[in-house]
Structures are given as C-alpha cells and as structure tokens.
Amino acid sequence: MRHGHFAGRSLTLWFSLFVATGAIAAAVYGAIGDKYNALGRENGPLGPALTDEANAPHGGRFNTFRNGYIYWHPDVGAFAVWGAIGAKWNQLGRVEYGYPITDELTTPDQRGRYNHFRAIQLPGKPESSIYWTPQTGAVAVYGAIRDKWASEGWERGRVGYPTADETADGAFRRTTFERGFIRWSAGTGAEVIPTGLAPHEGGGFAGNVVNGLVAYADLPTGGRAELFRDPTLFSPSELCARFLNQPGLDDTLRNALLSRIRPKLPRGFGIHSQSNHALGKSCAARAELWSRSVSIRLVVPHNRLFVRVTTPDGFPGGLDPNFAVTYDLVVRTSITFPDTVAGSVVQGPITVQGLNVSEPQTHSITGNLAIAVNDLIGFLGGPDLFAAMRQGGVAQMSGVNTGTAQLNQKLAQLRSSVPAGTRIDLMPEADLVAVVATTRPAPPGPR
C-alpha cells in the first residue's frame, strides 16, 4: 500500500469535509498553489485543502490538506509533507524540527520514502530527515548521526534504514538501524557499530531469533557453570500471553480512544453507550539478538473501535452518526546487557503504537466528526497512547521485567566471587541468548 496515505491507509478521511450548511472551501494560491497544482491538487497525495493559507513560524506560510501539508519559506520555497512522514513530522513539531526542503521522494532502492528538512531558526540552519519503509515506519535522523549515516551512503550503507529515533545510551546518543547502530558523544564523535546481521522481511534482523535465555559463568578450571535458564522468556506464546492477559486491556484502549474523540465533538454531541472496542483475535511476537541487546516486538492486528455519536435534537438525518476503524497495536521494548559484571541488565522503555489504521467505515458522518476522528492519527501513532494505557495499569511486559530482575540478582552474586572487570559475552545458543561471564581472552575481531 502506498506510503503517502498515512501508512496502511490510516485515517486520511476519504470522505469530503462538510457541515450541515454546506461544504467548507479553502483558498490555496501563490507558490503553495503552484506546488499543489504540480502534485495533482485534490487528486494527488495531499487530497482536498482544509485551511486557507496562513502564517507559519519563522517567516513562512502554509496550507493544511486532508493528508498532509505544504509549507513555504522564502529561503527554501514550497514543499509538501504527507502520509506517515507527515504524521511523524507533526509529532516532532513541524517547522520547529525543520522546514521541508524536498517533497516526499522515493529512495534509490525503491523500498523507502523520505523528506529532508532545514531548521531555519537555528544557528547554521542544520538539516535533518525522516525516512520511512513498510518494515520500519517513519523514523527521524538528524545531527552528527545523520551526517555519519550520509557519509556511509545513507540507506545503502552498512547499517541500512533507521528503525528507531535517536535516544540516550549512557554517555552517548544513539540511533538504531537495521544492521547495527550509530552512536555519538562529544569525546568520540559519531561511530558506526554494525551487527553483521541482515534485515528480514518483517523488519529487524534475520537469524538470531531467540525464545529464551541461559546465563553461564566460566570457571578458572576451564568448565562452565549454569546460573539461570528460562527457555520461554522471549517466546511468542509467552510474550503474547503475558500482554493480552492483562486485566482491563480492552477497556483501557476503549476509554483512551473515546476520551480523545469526546472533547473534539461540537456542543450537543456525545458518545453513545453502544460504542465499543474489540482486541484482535491473533498476536505475533519476535525477539532478536543484537550485539549487546535483545529487541522485542509484539503485534496485535485488526483491533476494532466502533463509535456511535449522539446528536442534538433537530440534527439533520434520522440516524446517529457512527464509524468504525481497525488498527494494529505494536508494542516494542528491549533488554541491554552490560559489558562487565559491574554493570546491570537494563530494560529499555516500552513503546505502544497504533499502526495501519483503516479508512473509517461510516454512516451519516459529519464534517465536525471528521475533524474529531482525524485527531486519532497522531494519538495512535504517538506517545500519548502508551501514557493512557500505562495510566490504566496495562501495557506491561511483566515476563521481561521478571527476567531482567533475575539476571541482575545473579550479577550481584557474581561480583563478590569473580575478578573485577569480568567480561559479559552474548552469543546465540540454539534458540536461546547465552549470557556468559568470563575472564578468558576476547575472541578476535571487532567488539
């Protein structure tokens, strides 16, 4: 499916925006109008205009369209941002992240899409990017990490496409890519750390899929003692069961989504008690071994939200407006292992996103309700969804939490009985992650 329609034909709201009194007209002209014409106007990727041209921060102008935006600045001209890249850019603050300096373009390998941006308001006017593929979603790349990635050949380099936004990693800043990561610190600059693993069709890495974990300590005599074993810690059945069996998960999702719509409704409109949410009937999970960590991804597809809106007396039409959308719920986390027994095993943050949102199945929907539904795009794809689920006491990865705590207990016990600086090695052992505490010489090759 084309990326330019909000990844998976999400809520681009294919119906025309209208109210009871008639259609809303929006004015598009000048350089923005020229760009809109070049992209095919309402029949192009942007769809119909929703706003008149208006002032944008830092000396620019913009129009909002059903599926995205066109922004103009005298320093760069007019360029369009739409789809999943547009949704990501909106989350990042639009022009505070940077004015677009390209339209959405196809990458040379034809697999991905991207826009480049320029922060007009910052010293040096630094440039940044957002890249998208069906496997990775839309990811932001900027600063010294982006410069290093560009010097490597962008997505055609050693590490492929970005898979996660830049984050803190101890003393470093780090962006994760399909075949490794790029990290930066003021002392070292930017460096590429490839894993040597190839991307698989579903995103992430081929091979080194793990279902559990075993921990060992190498003995001075040459033997090896087993410290801890959980063969199903990362298995799909275990990860899915622990997530889906959380009490109140369905109700929390329903309440979180309805609470997002309710304030957007016009005066006199409300949410009918027949509105409901149903989790999908299936679940898939995958854990993959990286150089120093295990990444975990869980997907519950085809969740369905049904909303019936009550209307004020005298509203045109005999039936209350209603709509239904489906979406995939994607949960991600990771476990990072220390270099030595002096460190700790750390579980990364849990992220929850709603992706592949369907076009709304509607009856008697109004222009006002269209605006309310459209607001779900950023909510499903952004951090507020996870915050709402967490507030409801769900979205936990309890099995991962337990395994992390057990490993740290074993490391604490080891510290008093092994030499300082005892190294921690990670390696695959059948379908397990083998975590080995050792003082033996490191194997040859880069670490």
Side-chain angles (χ1 to χ4, degrees):
M1 189 164 292
R2 269 199 88 234
H3 163 238
H5 290 93
F6 275 121
R9 296 169 65 192
S10 61
L11 297 176
T12 52
L13 305 181
W14 43 270
F15 41 82
S16 298
L17 186 63
F18 67 92
V19 293
T21 57
I24 297 175
V28 188
Y29 50 85
I32 292 178
D34 292 342
K35 174 62 69 173
Y36 188 45
N37 289 337
L39 291 171
R41 298 186 60 80
E42 63 272 8
N43 295 320
L46 292 169
L50 300 183
T51 69
D52 295 338
E53 184 177 306
N55 287 329
H58 316 301
R61 301 279 288 174
F62 79 102
N63 279 79
T64 299
F65 300 85
R66 188 175 65 185
N67 303 333
Y69 318 92
I70 298 176
Y71 271 72
W72 171 91
H73 191 278
D75 290 355
V76 298
F79 293 98
V81 190
W82 65 80
I85 291 178
K88 182 71 172 182
W89 185 55
N90 189 49
Q91 293 170 22
L92 294 169
R94 297 196 197 177
V95 296
E96 300 306 322
Y97 183 72
Y99 270 85
I101 56 174
T102 68
D103 297 327
E104 183 179 303
L105 300 173
T106 303
T107 54
D109 65 2
Q110 303 298 306
R111 178 184 161 206
R113 306 278 288 177
Y114 70 95
N115 279 78
H116 293 321
F117 303 89
R118 182 176 299 153
I120 299 293
Q121 76 280 14
L122 296 180
K125 300 181 179 179
E127 295 185 0
S128 57
S129 303
I130 299 176
Y131 273 72
W132 173 93
T133 73
Q135 295 79 27
T136 62
V139 182
V141 191
Y142 49 88
I145 289 177
R146 177 183 182 266
D147 294 342
K148 187 67 173 178
W149 186 50
S151 74
E152 288 264 318
W154 303 95
E155 72 281 356
R156 291 168 290 177
R158 287 182 288 170
V159 293
Y161 283 88
T163 61
D165 293 342
E166 183 178 306
T167 186
D169 182 11
F172 294 89
R173 299 292 298 176
R174 167 176 167 162
T175 298
T176 302
F177 294 80
E178 291 177 306
R179 297 187 293 275
F181 57 91
I182 299 176
R183 66 182 186 180
W184 172 92
S185 74
T188 64
E191 53 184 342
V192 179
I193 313 293
T195 64
L197 301 175
H200 65 70
E201 200 170 40
F205 302 96
N208 293 295
V209 175
V210 291
N211 289 318
L213 183 145
V214 59
Y216 301 105
D218 282 344
L219 303 174
T221 58
R224 176 171 285 181
E226 183 175 311
L227 306 174
F228 169 74
R229 179 182 290 264
D230 187 336
T232 62
L233 177 64
F234 304 129
S235 66
S237 58
E238 184 75 8
L239 292 170
C240 284
R242 287 182 178 271
F243 183 80
L244 293 175
N245 291 340
Q246 297 175 92
L249 177 60
D250 215 1
D251 288 341
T252 297
L253 284 165
R254 173 186 177 275
N255 293 337
L257 296 174
L258 293 182
S259 65
R260 188 74 182 193
I261 295 174
R262 190 174 286 109
K264 303 291 182 179
L265 297 177
R267 184 186 301 273
F269 287 68
I271 301 294
H272 197 279
S273 60
Q274 291 180 354
S275 302
N276 59 69
H277 182 276
L279 283 169
K281 303 299 184 183
S282 62
C283 175
R286 184 181 179 100
E288 296 172 337
L289 175 61
W290 296 19
S291 58
R292 300 301 307 171
S293 63
V294 174
S295 67
I296 297 166
R297 183 174 186 264
L298 182 148
V299 181
V300 183
H302 309 307
N303 308 285
R304 185 177 188 270
L305 174 70
F306 170 77
V307 179
R308 172 159 287 169
V309 178
T310 60
T311 59
D313 293 340
F315 185 80
L319 295 174
D320 290 338
N322 63 72
F323 73 93
V325 294
T326 60
Y327 67 96
D328 298 342
L329 190 66
V330 181
V331 186
R332 295 182 178 90
T333 191
S334 63
I335 294 179
T336 301
F337 294 83
D339 292 325
T340 72
V341 295
S344 298
V345 181
V346 178
Q347 182 181 339
I350 300 172
T351 64
V352 180
Q353 285 184 300
L355 301 178
N356 300 323
V357 186
S358 70
E359 293 176 347
Q361 307 156 31
T362 69
H363 173 75
S364 302
I365 200 161
T366 71
N368 298 101
L369 184 54
I371 296 171
V373 176
N374 198 36
D375 187 64
L376 284 176
I377 297 170
F379 180 66
L380 282 167
D384 290 344
L385 174 62
F386 176 59
M389 293 178 67
R390 192 170 186 176
Q391 187 175 10
V394 299
Q396 303 302 309
M397 301 289 275
S398 56
V400 178
N401 297 342
T402 301
T404 300
Q406 290 174 318
L407 285 167
N408 280 323
Q409 289 174 1
K410 297 299 180 183
L411 283 175
Q413 295 168 7
L414 274 176
R415 290 184 195 117
S416 60
S417 58
V418 299
T422 296
R423 191 176 72 252
I424 297 291
D425 285 345
L426 264 65
M427 60 194 71
E429 181 180 295
D431 64 344
L432 304 180
V433 181
V435 183
V436 183
T438 183
T439 57
R440 296 174 187 173
R447 285 184 51 76

